[in-house]
Amino acid sequence: DYRFIAAQICGIGGMIMLFWSFQSKTTIKICFTQSIACIFLTSQFALLGAWTGAALNAISLVRNIIYANGEKKWAKGILWPIGF
């Protein structure tokens, strides 16, 4: 099935990006590589029909975007960490 193969490719891409994020030295690079990994992993779970896993990775993507913009006023709120 082509969806299974595409899901495996997305999973491998997500795993590589997560490993790469541990090699990053700045917060913005860590958030960027983890965001790319979340996109790959959300796609993987969606292709497999695992909607809970896709939703959890989509939430992680939003969290990474907010923390990457941590110096901006809208992202500094105390409610973000409580919500996540």
Coordinates of all heavy atoms in Angstrom, one line a residue:
D1 N 0.8 -1.2 0.0 CA 0.0 0.0 0.0 C 0.9 1.3 0.0 O 1.8 1.3 0.8 CB -0.9 -0.1 1.2 CG -1.9 1.0 1.3 OD1 -2.4 1.4 0.2 OD2 -2.2 1.5 2.4
Y2 N 0.6 2.2 -0.9 CA 1.4 3.4 -1.0 C 1.4 4.3 0.2 O 2.4 4.9 0.6 CB 1.0 4.2 -2.2 CG -0.3 4.9 -2.1 CD1 -0.3 6.2 -1.6 CD2 -1.5 4.3 -2.4 CE1 -1.6 6.8 -1.5 CE2 -2.7 4.9 -2.3 CZ -2.7 6.2 -1.8 OH -3.9 6.8 -1.6
R3 N 0.3 4.3 1.0 CA 0.2 5.1 2.2 C 1.1 4.6 3.3 O 1.7 5.4 4.0 CB -1.2 5.1 2.7 CG -2.1 6.0 1.8 CD -3.5 6.0 2.4 NE -4.0 4.7 2.4 CZ -5.1 4.3 3.1 NH1 -5.8 5.2 3.8 NH2 -5.5 3.1 3.1
F4 N 1.3 3.3 3.4 CA 2.2 2.7 4.4 C 3.6 3.1 4.1 O 4.4 3.4 5.0 CB 2.0 1.2 4.4 CG 2.9 0.5 5.4 CD1 2.6 0.5 6.8 CD2 4.0 -0.1 5.0 CE1 3.4 -0.1 7.7 CE2 4.9 -0.8 6.0 CZ 4.5 -0.7 7.3
I5 N 4.0 3.0 2.8 CA 5.4 3.3 2.4 C 5.6 4.8 2.7 O 6.7 5.2 3.2 CB 5.6 2.9 0.9 CG1 5.6 1.4 0.8 CG2 7.0 3.5 0.5 CD1 5.6 0.9 -0.6
A6 N 4.7 5.7 2.3 CA 4.8 7.1 2.5 C 4.9 7.4 4.0 O 5.7 8.3 4.4 CB 3.6 7.8 1.9
A7 N 4.1 6.7 4.8 CA 4.2 6.9 6.3 C 5.5 6.5 6.8 O 6.1 7.2 7.7 CB 3.1 6.0 6.9
Q8 N 6.1 5.4 6.3 CA 7.4 5.0 6.8 C 8.5 6.0 6.4 O 9.4 6.3 7.2 CB 7.8 3.6 6.2 CG 6.9 2.5 6.7 CD 6.7 2.5 8.2 OE1 7.7 2.5 8.9 NE2 5.5 2.4 8.7
I9 N 8.4 6.6 5.2 CA 9.3 7.6 4.8 C 9.2 8.9 5.7 O 10.2 9.5 6.1 CB 9.1 8.0 3.3 CG1 9.5 6.8 2.4 CG2 9.9 9.2 2.9 CD1 9.1 6.9 1.0
C10 N 7.9 9.2 6.0 CA 7.7 10.4 6.9 C 8.3 10.1 8.3 O 8.9 11.0 8.9 CB 6.2 10.7 7.0 SG 5.6 11.5 5.5
G11 N 8.1 8.9 8.8 CA 8.6 8.5 10.1 C 10.1 8.6 10.1 O 10.7 9.1 11.1
I12 N 10.8 8.1 9.1 CA 12.2 8.2 9.0 C 12.7 9.6 9.0 O 13.6 10.0 9.7 CB 12.8 7.4 7.8 CG1 12.6 5.9 8.1 CG2 14.3 7.7 7.6 CD1 12.8 5.0 6.9
G13 N 12.0 10.5 8.2 CA 12.3 11.9 8.1 C 12.2 12.6 9.5 O 13.0 13.4 9.9
G14 N 11.1 12.3 10.2 CA 10.9 12.8 11.5 C 11.9 12.4 12.5 O 12.4 13.2 13.3
M15 N 12.3 11.1 12.4 CA 13.3 10.6 13.3 C 14.7 11.3 13.1 O 15.4 11.7 14.0 CB 13.5 9.1 13.2 CG 14.5 8.5 14.1 SD 14.6 6.7 13.9 CE 15.2 6.6 12.2
I16 N 15.0 11.5 11.8 CA 16.3 12.2 11.5 C 16.3 13.6 12.0 O 17.3 14.1 12.6 CB 16.5 12.1 10.0 CG1 16.9 10.7 9.5 CG2 17.6 13.1 9.5 CD1 16.9 10.4 8.0
M17 N 15.1 14.3 11.8 CA 15.1 15.7 12.3 C 15.1 15.8 13.8 O 15.8 16.7 14.3 CB 13.8 16.3 11.7 CG 13.8 16.5 10.2 SD 15.3 17.4 9.6 CE 15.0 19.1 10.2
L18 N 14.5 14.8 14.5 CA 14.6 14.8 15.9 C 16.0 14.6 16.4 O 16.5 15.3 17.3 CB 13.7 13.8 16.6 CG 12.2 14.2 16.6 CD1 11.4 13.0 17.1 CD2 12.0 15.4 17.5
F19 N 16.7 13.6 15.8 CA 18.1 13.4 16.1 C 19.0 14.7 15.8 O 19.9 15.0 16.6 CB 18.7 12.2 15.4 CG 18.2 10.9 15.9 CD1 18.1 9.8 15.0 CD2 17.9 10.7 17.2 CE1 17.6 8.6 15.4 CE2 17.4 9.5 17.6 CZ 17.3 8.4 16.8
W20 N 18.7 15.3 14.7 CA 19.4 16.5 14.3 C 19.2 17.7 15.3 O 20.1 18.5 15.6 CB 19.0 16.9 12.9 CG 19.9 18.0 12.3 CD1 21.0 18.5 12.8 CD2 19.7 18.6 11.1 NE1 21.5 19.4 11.9 CE2 20.7 19.5 10.9 CE3 18.7 18.5 10.1 CZ2 20.8 20.3 9.7 CZ3 18.7 19.3 9.0 CH2 19.8 20.2 8.8
S21 N 18.0 17.7 15.9 CA 17.7 18.8 16.8 C 18.5 18.7 18.1 O 18.8 19.8 18.7 CB 16.2 18.8 17.2 OG 15.9 17.7 18.1
F22 N 19.0 17.6 18.5 CA 19.8 17.4 19.6 C 21.2 18.0 19.3 O 22.0 18.3 20.3 CB 19.9 16.0 20.1 CG 18.7 15.5 20.7 CD1 17.9 14.6 20.1 CD2 18.3 16.0 22.0 CE1 16.7 14.1 20.7 CE2 17.2 15.5 22.6 CZ 16.4 14.6 22.0
Q23 N 21.6 18.1 18.1 CA 22.9 18.7 17.7 C 22.9 20.2 17.6 O 23.9 20.8 17.4 CB 23.3 18.0 16.4 CG 23.4 16.5 16.4 CD 24.3 16.0 17.5 OE1 25.4 16.5 17.7 NE2 23.9 15.0 18.2
S24 N 21.7 20.8 17.6 CA 21.6 22.2 17.4 C 22.0 22.9 18.7 O 21.8 22.4 19.8 CB 20.1 22.6 17.1 OG 19.7 21.9 16.0
K25 N 22.5 24.1 18.5 CA 23.1 24.9 19.7 C 22.2 26.0 20.1 O 22.4 26.5 21.2 CB 24.5 25.4 19.3 CG 25.5 24.2 19.0 CD 26.9 24.8 19.0 CE 27.9 23.7 18.6 NZ 27.7 22.4 19.0
T26 N 21.3 26.5 19.3 CA 20.5 27.6 19.7 C 19.0 27.2 19.8 O 18.6 26.2 19.2 CB 20.6 28.8 18.7 OG1 20.1 28.3 17.4 CG2 22.0 29.3 18.5
T27 N 18.3 27.9 20.6 CA 16.9 27.6 20.8 C 16.1 27.7 19.5 O 15.3 26.8 19.3 CB 16.3 28.6 21.8 OG1 17.1 28.5 23.0 CG2 14.9 28.3 22.1
I28 N 16.4 28.7 18.7 CA 15.6 28.8 17.4 C 15.9 27.6 16.5 O 15.0 27.1 15.9 CB 15.9 30.2 16.8 CG1 14.9 30.4 15.7 CG2 17.3 30.2 16.2 CD1 13.5 30.8 16.2
K29 N 17.1 27.1 16.5 CA 17.4 26.0 15.6 C 16.8 24.7 16.2 O 16.3 23.9 15.4 CB 18.9 25.8 15.5 CG 19.6 26.8 14.6 CD 21.1 26.6 14.4 CE 21.7 27.6 13.6 NZ 23.1 27.4 13.4
I30 N 16.8 24.6 17.5 CA 16.1 23.4 18.1 C 14.6 23.4 17.8 O 14.1 22.4 17.4 CB 16.4 23.4 19.6 CG1 17.9 23.1 19.9 CG2 15.5 22.3 20.3 CD1 18.2 23.4 21.4
C31 N 14.0 24.6 18.0 CA 12.6 24.7 17.7 C 12.3 24.4 16.2 O 11.3 23.8 15.9 CB 12.0 26.0 18.1 SG 11.9 26.2 19.9
F32 N 13.1 25.0 15.3 CA 12.9 24.8 13.9 C 13.0 23.3 13.5 O 12.1 22.8 12.8 CB 13.9 25.6 13.1 CG 13.8 25.4 11.6 CD1 12.7 26.0 10.9 CD2 14.7 24.7 10.9 CE1 12.6 25.8 9.6 CE2 14.6 24.5 9.5 CZ 13.5 25.1 8.9
T33 N 14.1 22.6 13.9 CA 14.2 21.2 13.5 C 13.1 20.4 14.2 O 12.7 19.4 13.5 CB 15.6 20.7 13.9 OG1 15.9 20.9 15.3 CG2 16.7 21.3 13.0
Q34 N 12.7 20.7 15.4 CA 11.7 19.9 16.0 C 10.3 20.2 15.3 O 9.5 19.3 15.3 CB 11.6 20.2 17.5 CG 12.7 19.5 18.2 CD 12.6 19.6 19.7 OE1 11.7 20.2 20.3 NE2 13.5 18.9 20.5
S35 N 10.1 21.4 14.8 CA 8.9 21.7 14.1 C 8.8 20.9 12.8 O 7.8 20.4 12.4 CB 8.8 23.2 13.8 OG 8.7 23.9 15.0
I36 N 10.0 20.8 12.1 CA 10.0 20.0 10.9 C 9.7 18.5 11.2 O 9.0 17.8 10.5 CB 11.4 20.2 10.1 CG1 11.6 21.6 9.8 CG2 11.4 19.2 8.9 CD1 10.6 22.2 8.8
A37 N 10.3 18.1 12.3 CA 10.0 16.7 12.7 C 8.6 16.5 13.0 O 8.0 15.4 12.7 CB 10.9 16.3 14.0
C38 N 7.9 17.5 13.7 CA 6.5 17.3 14.0 C 5.7 17.3 12.7 O 4.7 16.6 12.7 CB 6.1 18.5 14.9 SG 6.6 18.4 16.6
I39 N 6.0 18.0 11.7 CA 5.3 18.0 10.5 C 5.4 16.6 9.8 O 4.4 16.0 9.4 CB 5.8 19.1 9.5 CG1 5.4 20.4 10.0 CG2 5.3 18.8 8.1 CD1 6.1 21.6 9.3
F40 N 6.6 16.0 9.8 CA 6.8 14.7 9.3 C 6.0 13.7 10.1 O 5.3 12.8 9.5 CB 8.3 14.3 9.3 CG 9.1 14.7 8.2 CD1 10.2 15.5 8.4 CD2 8.8 14.3 6.9 CE1 11.0 15.9 7.3 CE2 9.6 14.7 5.8 CZ 10.7 15.5 6.0
L41 N 6.1 13.7 11.4 CA 5.4 12.8 12.3 C 3.9 12.9 12.3 O 3.2 11.9 12.3 CB 6.0 12.8 13.7 CG 7.4 12.4 13.8 CD1 7.9 12.7 15.2 CD2 7.7 11.0 13.4
T42 N 3.4 14.1 12.2 CA 2.0 14.3 12.0 C 1.5 13.7 10.7 O 0.4 13.0 10.7 CB 1.6 15.8 12.0 OG1 2.0 16.4 13.3 CG2 0.1 16.0 11.9
S43 N 2.3 13.9 9.6 CA 1.9 13.3 8.4 C 1.9 11.8 8.5 O 1.1 11.1 7.9 CB 2.9 13.7 7.3 OG 2.9 15.1 7.2
Q44 N 2.9 11.2 9.1 CA 3.0 9.8 9.3 C 1.8 9.2 10.0 O 1.2 8.3 9.5 CB 4.3 9.4 10.1 CG 4.4 7.9 10.3 CD 5.4 7.5 11.4 OE1 5.7 8.3 12.3 NE2 5.9 6.3 11.3
F45 N 1.4 9.8 11.1 CA 0.3 9.3 11.8 C -1.0 9.4 11.1 O -1.9 8.6 11.1 CB 0.2 9.9 13.2 CG 1.2 9.4 14.2 CD1 2.1 10.2 14.8 CD2 1.2 8.1 14.6 CE1 3.0 9.8 15.7 CE2 2.1 7.6 15.5 CZ 3.0 8.4 16.0
A46 N -1.1 10.6 10.3 CA -2.3 10.8 9.5 C -2.4 9.7 8.4 O -3.5 9.2 8.2 CB -2.3 12.2 9.0
L47 N -1.3 9.4 7.8 CA -1.3 8.4 6.7 C -1.7 7.0 7.3 O -2.3 6.2 6.6 CB 0.1 8.4 6.0 CG 0.4 9.5 5.1 CD1 1.8 9.5 4.7 CD2 -0.5 9.4 3.9
L48 N -1.3 6.8 8.5 CA -1.6 5.5 9.1 C -3.0 5.4 9.7 O -3.5 4.4 10.2 CB -0.6 5.2 10.2 CG 0.8 4.9 9.7 CD1 1.8 4.7 10.9 CD2 0.9 3.6 8.8
G49 N -3.7 6.6 9.8 CA -5.0 6.6 10.4 C -5.0 6.7 11.9 O -6.0 6.5 12.5
A50 N -3.9 7.1 12.5 CA -3.7 7.2 13.9 C -3.9 8.7 14.3 O -3.0 9.4 14.4 CB -2.4 6.7 14.4
W51 N -5.2 9.0 14.4 CA -5.5 10.5 14.5 C -5.1 11.1 15.9 O -4.8 12.2 16.0 CB -7.0 10.7 14.3 CG -7.3 10.2 12.9 CD1 -8.1 9.1 12.5 CD2 -6.9 10.7 11.7 NE1 -8.1 9.0 11.2 CE2 -7.4 10.0 10.6 CE3 -6.1 11.9 11.3 CZ2 -7.2 10.2 9.3 CZ3 -5.8 12.1 10.0 CH2 -6.4 11.3 9.0
T52 N -5.1 10.3 16.9 CA -4.6 10.8 18.2 C -3.2 11.1 18.2 O -2.8 12.2 18.7 CB -4.9 9.7 19.3 OG1 -6.3 9.4 19.3 CG2 -4.5 10.3 20.7
G53 N -2.4 10.3 17.6 CA -0.9 10.6 17.4 C -0.7 11.8 16.5 O 0.2 12.6 16.8
A54 N -1.5 11.9 15.5 CA -1.4 13.1 14.6 C -1.7 14.4 15.4 O -1.1 15.4 15.3 CB -2.3 13.0 13.4
A55 N -2.8 14.3 16.2 CA -3.2 15.5 17.0 C -2.2 15.9 18.0 O -1.9 17.1 18.2 CB -4.5 15.2 17.7
L56 N -1.6 14.9 18.7 CA -0.5 15.2 19.7 C 0.7 15.8 19.0 O 1.3 16.8 19.6 CB -0.1 13.9 20.4 CG -1.2 13.4 21.4 CD1 -0.7 12.0 21.9 CD2 -1.4 14.4 22.5
N57 N 1.1 15.4 17.8 CA 2.2 16.0 17.2 C 1.9 17.4 16.6 O 2.7 18.2 16.6 CB 2.7 15.1 16.0 CG 3.6 14.0 16.6 OD1 4.7 14.3 17.0 ND2 3.2 12.8 16.6
A58 N 0.6 17.6 16.2 CA 0.2 18.9 15.8 C 0.2 19.9 16.9 O 0.7 21.0 16.8 CB -1.2 18.8 15.2
I59 N -0.1 19.4 18.1 CA 0.0 20.3 19.3 C 1.4 20.6 19.6 O 1.8 21.7 20.0 CB -0.7 19.6 20.5 CG1 -2.2 19.6 20.3 CG2 -0.4 20.3 21.8 CD1 -3.0 18.7 21.3
S60 N 2.3 19.6 19.5 CA 3.7 19.9 19.7 C 4.3 20.9 18.7 O 5.1 21.7 19.0 CB 4.5 18.6 19.5 OG 4.2 17.7 20.6
L61 N 3.7 20.8 17.4 CA 4.2 21.8 16.4 C 3.8 23.2 16.9 O 4.6 24.1 16.8 CB 3.5 21.5 15.1 CG 3.8 22.5 13.9 CD1 5.2 22.6 13.6 CD2 3.0 22.0 12.7
V62 N 2.6 23.4 17.3 CA 2.1 24.7 17.8 C 3.0 25.1 19.0 O 3.4 26.3 19.1 CB 0.6 24.7 18.2 CG1 0.2 25.9 18.9 CG2 -0.2 24.4 17.0
R63 N 3.3 24.2 19.9 CA 4.1 24.6 21.1 C 5.5 25.0 20.6 O 6.0 26.0 21.1 CB 4.3 23.3 22.0 CG 5.1 23.6 23.2 CD 5.6 22.3 23.8 NE 6.5 21.6 22.9 CZ 6.7 20.4 22.9 NH1 6.2 19.6 23.8 NH2 7.6 19.8 22.1
N64 N 6.1 24.3 19.6 CA 7.4 24.7 19.1 C 7.4 26.1 18.5 O 8.3 26.9 18.7 CB 7.9 23.7 18.1 CG 8.4 22.4 18.8 OD1 8.8 22.5 20.0 ND2 8.4 21.3 18.1
I65 N 6.3 26.4 17.8 CA 6.2 27.7 17.1 C 6.1 28.8 18.2 O 6.8 29.9 18.1 CB 5.0 27.7 16.2 CG1 5.3 26.9 15.0 CG2 4.7 29.2 15.7 CD1 4.1 26.6 14.1
I66 N 5.3 28.6 19.2 CA 5.2 29.6 20.3 C 6.5 29.8 21.0 O 6.9 30.9 21.3 CB 4.1 29.1 21.3 CG1 2.7 29.3 20.5 CG2 4.1 30.0 22.5 CD1 1.6 28.7 21.3
Y67 N 7.2 28.7 21.4 CA 8.5 28.8 22.1 C 9.6 29.4 21.2 O 10.5 30.0 21.7 CB 8.9 27.5 22.7 CG 8.0 27.0 23.9 CD1 7.9 25.7 24.2 CD2 7.3 28.0 24.6 CE1 7.1 25.3 25.3 CE2 6.5 27.6 25.7 CZ 6.4 26.3 26.0 OH 5.6 25.9 27.1
A68 N 9.5 29.2 19.9 CA 10.5 29.8 19.0 C 10.3 31.3 19.0 O 11.3 32.0 18.7 CB 10.4 29.2 17.6
N69 N 9.1 31.8 19.2 CA 8.8 33.2 19.3 C 8.8 33.7 20.7 O 8.1 34.7 21.0 CB 7.5 33.5 18.6 CG 7.6 33.3 17.1 OD1 8.3 34.0 16.4 ND2 6.9 32.2 16.6
G70 N 9.5 33.1 21.6 CA 9.5 33.4 23.0 C 9.8 34.9 23.4 O 9.4 35.4 24.4
E71 N 10.5 35.6 22.5 CA 10.9 36.9 22.8 C 9.8 37.9 22.5 O 9.9 39.1 22.9 CB 12.2 37.3 22.1 CG 12.1 37.5 20.6 CD 12.1 36.2 19.8 OE1 12.4 35.1 20.4 OE2 11.8 36.3 18.6
K72 N 8.8 37.5 21.8 CA 7.7 38.4 21.4 C 6.7 38.4 22.6 O 6.5 37.5 23.3 CB 7.0 37.9 20.1 CG 8.0 38.0 19.0 CD 7.4 37.6 17.7 CE 8.4 37.8 16.6 NZ 8.3 37.0 15.5
K73 N 6.0 39.6 22.6 CA 5.1 39.8 23.8 C 3.9 38.7 23.8 O 3.6 38.3 24.9 CB 4.5 41.2 23.6 CG 3.6 41.6 24.8 CD 3.1 43.0 24.6 CE 2.1 43.3 25.8 NZ 1.5 44.6 25.7
W74 N 3.4 38.4 22.7 CA 2.2 37.4 22.7 C 2.7 36.0 23.2 O 1.8 35.3 23.7 CB 1.6 37.4 21.4 CG 2.4 36.9 20.3 CD1 3.2 37.6 19.5 CD2 2.6 35.5 19.9 NE1 3.9 36.8 18.6 CE2 3.5 35.5 18.8 CE3 2.1 34.3 20.3 CZ2 4.0 34.4 18.2 CZ3 2.5 33.2 19.7 CH2 3.4 33.2 18.6
A75 N 3.9 35.7 23.0 CA 4.4 34.4 23.4 C 5.0 34.3 24.8 O 5.3 33.2 25.3 CB 5.5 33.9 22.4
K76 N 5.0 35.4 25.5 CA 5.6 35.4 26.9 C 4.6 35.1 28.0 O 5.0 35.0 29.1 CB 6.3 36.8 27.1 CG 7.6 37.0 26.4 CD 8.2 38.3 26.8 CE 9.5 38.5 26.1 NZ 10.2 39.7 26.5
G77 N 3.4 35.0 27.6 CA 2.3 34.8 28.6 C 2.5 33.5 29.5 O 3.0 32.5 29.0
I78 N 2.1 33.6 30.7 CA 2.2 32.5 31.6 C 1.2 31.4 31.3 O 1.3 30.2 31.7 CB 1.9 33.0 33.1 CG1 2.3 31.9 34.1 CG2 0.5 33.4 33.3 CD1 3.7 31.5 34.2
L79 N 0.2 31.7 30.5 CA -0.9 30.7 30.2 C -0.3 29.7 29.2 O -0.9 28.5 29.1 CB -2.1 31.4 29.6 CG -2.9 32.2 30.6 CD1 -4.1 32.9 30.0 CD2 -3.3 31.4 31.8
W80 N 0.7 30.0 28.3 CA 1.2 29.0 27.4 C 1.7 27.8 28.1 O 1.3 26.7 27.7 CB 2.2 29.6 26.5 CG 1.6 30.6 25.5 CD1 1.9 32.0 25.4 CD2 0.7 30.4 24.5 NE1 1.2 32.5 24.4 CE2 0.4 31.6 23.8 CE3 0.0 29.3 24.1 CZ2 -0.5 31.7 22.8 CZ3 -0.9 29.4 23.0 CH2 -1.2 30.6 22.4
P81 N 2.7 27.9 29.0 CA 3.2 26.7 29.7 C 2.1 25.9 30.4 O 2.1 24.7 30.5 CB 4.2 27.2 30.6 CG 4.6 28.6 30.2 CD 3.4 29.1 29.4
I82 N 1.2 26.7 31.0 CA 0.1 26.0 31.8 C -0.8 25.2 30.8 O -1.2 24.1 31.0 CB -0.8 27.0 32.5 CG1 0.1 27.6 33.7 CG2 -2.0 26.4 33.1 CD1 -0.5 28.8 34.3
G83 N -1.1 25.8 29.6 CA -1.9 25.1 28.6 C -1.2 23.9 28.0 O -1.9 22.9 27.8
F84 N 0.1 23.9 27.9 CA 0.8 22.8 27.3 C 1.1 21.8 28.4 O 1.2 20.6 28.2 CB 2.0 23.2 26.6 CG 1.7 24.0 25.3 CD1 2.2 25.2 25.1 CD2 1.0 23.4 24.3 CE1 1.9 25.9 24.0 CE2 0.7 24.1 23.1 CZ 1.1 25.4 23.0

